[in-house]
Amino acid sequence: MSNAIDALGSLWGPLLVLGQIGLFTLVLLISIAFLLLLDRKIWAGVMMRKGPNVVGPFGLLQSFADFGKFLLKEIVIPAGANKFVFIFAPIFTCTLAFAAWAAIPVAPGLEGGTSWVISDLNVGILYLFAISSLGVYGIIMGGWASNSKYPFLGALRSAAQMVSYEVSIGFVIITVILMVGSMNLSDIVNNQAGGLQNWHAFSFQNFPLVIVMFPMFVIFFISALAETNRPPFDLPEAESELVAGYQVEYGSTPYLLFMLGEYLNIVLMCAMMTILFLGGWHGPIALGPDIANALPPLLVSLSGLFWFMLKILFLFFLFAMVKAIVPRYRYDQLMRLGWKIFLPTSLAAVLVVAGYVTYFGVQA
Amino acid sequence: MALIAFGLIAAIVILSAVFVIAARNPVHSVLWLILTFCSAAGLFVLIGAEFLAMLLIVVYVGAVAVLFLFVVMMLDVDFVELKEGTLRYWPFALLVGLIFFGELALVWATSGQISAASFDPSPGGETNAEAIGAVMYTDYLLLFQMAGVILLVAMIGAIVLTLRHRPNVKRQNVGEQTGRRRADAFEMKDPAPGEGI
């Protein structure tokens, strides 16, 4: 192995990164296929239906069948559409959704202090925030380029909606940054080591803060629903009024890319919540340094990966349940919730956390 | 490697900036502007100022440009017609351009006298978010607060200018709505058969 590394010389670094990117993409694509099925199964279960159950055992291969069908259909571009922007919008959405995963640390590294991540950015959380704020362009471009009424209305709605909820997401992120004192995602995760009581959502170590941090977790969750255009905030694509919003004119592969981007963003939001509030790769019960050091490092890493994925799966389950249970908000209710309730609450929380950190300090 | 990356990104910045002006469709102009912002963020990353790069994307691309696009898409203005008379203003354009390039030349001529240390994105090994915060909230506190006050005034001004109270507009009072109980809305009657209420 080391000989091979020497032979490759300076090419080794870029090749390693390329390999990591390929692995991430592959794992994400396959997980999205099954998460999509899980989403539909949960939705069906709440409605006492069976859900997809024909393709493969228990309908397990349904997503792959859909995938093949999307690819084989003809791409129809409306006559009045702006061709380049029309095609570019779904590609942009999907690319951004993948790009955000470059900064997500999924498991502790084999050596102490490192983590399994493509790029361990100093400003990782800002990078994620920046990428998710770019996501709105895919929708606006798609809606505008279609040159049709419903998509345009859907695009305008979603632009206002996503910009509004980004504000409260930003403030919630600031509370976590204040507690950690770093914008590096690995630092944020490591700050929550030592079991359930240290996770930012609970933070019993800094006792009075739990009154602030748990509501912040809830606000982040609801804002994430709005940011990813999920029910009950799926007004951009409200099928009963706008048919399907910005994606009315899309079919075939471009539609597939939109949907892929949407689900990748949902899983990304779940990963962000896991990292910011639920301790990332740390399990709910701390093993203690003696046991952790005795275990082989690979086992520690893999168990970290297991916890990380389990937490994402739990949050995704919540996303799916919300979709099945909660009726859709009206547009003015959505704006009221974002600007009149979440914004003041999260702003007050930033003040409280900043004051606490300044005068009492944070016990990690 | 860094030089190639710089050349590539700088070329994209200049080209897309040219297209912002040259594009016939205003929506395309804004899209080119977004590419310019993103590439400029790339330049910041290249000199190691990743905090500024991310802020540029979050603030300008994520918020300001969205509003641009919003306005440009909603406006029903024929920009081609609007642009027709612009050639008349070329002396002003030339003057502004000359002043701008003069200033750039001044900066370039004096750049040797400014020490390289003052351009260090992370002086003393701290991350550049910490470095910026360390001076922004100490040496430049007053200026920083003044910038905040100016923004607040602008925001309140915009609200005051656009807020108008029209009569006969139906509004919802959410507190009133959720505070409604069954007793307020229902009245139980027991009508006799065949008589009605």
Side-chain angles (χ1 to χ4, degrees):
Chain A
M1 188 64 186
S2 62
N3 283 338
I5 293 175
D6 289 341
L8 282 166
S10 62
L11 270 181
W12 173 247
L15 274 181
L16 188 69
V17 172
L18 272 185
Q20 286 172 330
I21 293 173
L23 192 68
F24 252 86
T25 313
L26 193 71
V27 170
L28 278 175
L29 277 176
I30 294 174
S31 359
I32 290 294
F34 288 108
L35 284 174
L36 197 62
L37 181 76
L38 180 73
D39 193 29
R40 294 170 70 174
K41 279 281 188 190
I42 292 171
W43 202 11
V46 173
M47 294 176 170
M48 301 178 82
R49 292 184 286 122
K50 276 187 177 168
N53 64 346
V54 177
V55 189
F58 312 107
L60 276 178
L61 299 176
Q62 179 68 42
S63 297
F64 297 97
D66 288 344
F67 179 73
K69 196 171 172 182
F70 277 129
L71 284 188
L72 294 175
K73 294 281 178 185
E74 183 192 354
I75 298 177
V76 180
I77 299 176
N82 191 313
K83 235 180 215 170
F84 177 76
V85 180
F86 187 81
I87 296 290
F88 181 66
I91 299 175
F92 184 73
T93 305
C94 194
T95 314
L96 274 184
F98 274 113
W101 283 87
I104 298 276
V106 293
L110 297 180
E111 293 150 33
T114 59
S115 52
W116 285 6
V117 53
I118 296 176
S119 175
D120 200 16
L121 294 171
N122 271 335
V123 288
I125 191 68
L126 264 185
Y127 172 79
L128 289 184
F129 190 59
I131 293 281
S132 75
S133 69
L134 283 181
V136 66
Y137 284 110
I139 292 175
I140 297 188
M141 283 195 281
W144 175 78
S146 301
N147 195 16
S148 155
K149 295 281 184 298
Y150 284 138
F152 189 63
L153 284 173
L156 288 183
R157 277 185 175 191
S158 86
Q161 173 180 336
M162 289 170 87
V163 170
S164 306
Y165 278 83
E166 243 159 45
V167 181
S168 51
I169 285 192
F171 280 125
V172 173
I173 288 176
I174 288 176
T175 60
V176 174
I177 295 176
L178 282 171
M179 286 189 69
V180 181
S182 164
M183 285 185 279
N184 185 308
L185 290 169
S186 305
D187 288 352
I188 292 176
V189 172
N190 282 327
N191 192 47
Q192 306 174 67
L196 191 77
Q197 72 277 7
N198 282 356
W199 295 358
H200 285 150
F202 310 115
S203 53
F204 285 124
Q205 298 283 65
N206 308 289
F207 175 68
L209 275 191
V210 70
I211 306 164
V212 180
M213 290 314 279
F214 192 73
M216 284 303 104
F217 174 52
V218 176
I219 286 185
F220 194 101
F221 181 79
I222 299 174
S223 302
L225 288 173
E227 185 79 2
T228 50
N229 298 327
R230 283 283 285 189
F233 305 114
D234 60 338
L235 290 149
E237 43 197 281
E239 54 282 295
S240 50
E241 8 179 325
L242 290 181
V243 192
Y246 61 92
Q247 34 181 259
V248 173
E249 306 288 349
Y250 283 91
S252 172
T253 316
Y255 174 78
L256 174 73
L257 289 177
F258 260 136
M259 204 168 68
L260 194 62
E262 202 170 293
Y263 272 85
L264 273 171
N265 275 331
I266 292 166
V267 184
L268 179 75
M269 280 295 170
C270 295
M272 269 174 87
M273 273 182 271
T274 307
I275 289 169
L276 289 175
F277 289 103
L278 296 183
W281 59 68
H282 293 296
I285 297 162
L287 288 177
D290 297 336
I291 307 174
N293 287 337
L295 290 171
L298 189 63
L299 192 68
V300 176
S301 290
L302 286 179
S303 73
L305 188 64
F306 168 76
W307 282 115
F308 189 72
M309 287 163 97
L310 194 72
K311 287 170 190 173
I312 288 183
L313 209 58
F314 170 69
L315 288 170
F316 188 84
F317 174 74
L318 287 187
F319 264 70
M321 287 302 277
V322 169
K323 178 182 180 178
I325 292 171
V326 186
R328 183 181 296 136
Y329 261 52
R330 222 172 44 218
Y331 197 70
D332 60 312
Q333 291 173 327
L334 170 94
M335 283 298 163
R336 178 175 170 273
L337 185 69
W339 287 107
K340 292 190 178 170
I341 299 176
F342 283 179
L343 179 62
T345 316
S346 52
L347 197 56
V350 169
L351 287 183
V352 170
V353 174
Y356 182 88
V357 171
T358 308
Y359 290 107
F360 300 102
V362 171
Q363 285 96 44
Chain B
M1 190 67 186
L3 201 64
I4 299 170
F6 172 78
L8 196 70
I9 297 176
I12 294 175
V13 170
I14 293 171
L15 270 183
S16 52
V18 168
F19 278 119
V20 173
I21 315 170
R24 295 193 140 254
N25 190 328
V27 175
H28 288 182
S29 286
V30 179
L31 293 179
W32 284 115
L33 185 67
I34 293 160
L35 182 60
T36 316
F37 283 146
C38 290
S39 314
L43 288 181
F44 273 129
V45 171
L46 273 186
I47 60 169
E50 68 259 11
F51 183 69
L52 280 183
M54 291 307 144
L55 280 196
L56 184 71
I57 292 187
V58 169
V59 175
Y60 281 91
V61 183
V64 176
V66 172
L67 294 182
F68 276 5
L69 203 56
F70 216 87
V71 171
V72 165
M73 286 192 327
M74 302 271 278
L75 283 180
D76 189 23
V77 179
D78 191 353
F79 279 80
V80 178
E81 204 175 285
L82 209 68
K83 274 183 178 173
E84 267 176 1
T86 38
L87 266 186
R88 280 184 294 154
Y89 301 112
W90 69 267
F92 294 102
L94 198 67
L95 187 68
V96 172
L98 275 180
I99 292 174
F100 183 65
F101 274 101
E103 283 172 351
L104 272 186
L106 262 179
V107 170
W108 186 64
T110 55
S111 64
Q113 294 157 21
I114 305 165
S115 68
S118 62
F119 287 121
D120 193 351
S122 50
E126 64 215 323
T127 65
N128 48 64
E130 285 167 348
I132 290 171
V135 288
M136 192 185 267
Y137 295 105
T138 53
D139 298 353
Y140 302 106
L141 180 66
L142 201 61
L143 293 175
F144 181 65
Q145 298 245 318
M146 270 166 63
V149 171
I150 291 171
L151 281 176
L152 186 68
V153 169
M155 192 177 81
I156 294 174
I159 294 173
V160 168
L161 282 178
T162 51
L163 189 71
R164 49 183 180 149
H165 289 284
R166 285 171 296 176
N168 303 325
V169 174
K170 285 189 178 169
R171 285 182 194 285
Q172 287 184 321
N173 186 340
V174 175
E176 205 173 82
Q177 276 184 336
T178 48
R180 224 158 94 111
R181 292 286 164 266
R182 194 180 66 173
D184 309 332
F186 281 98
E187 195 184 347
M188 296 300 280
K189 296 265 186 177
D190 194 11
E195 285 182 20
I197 300 166

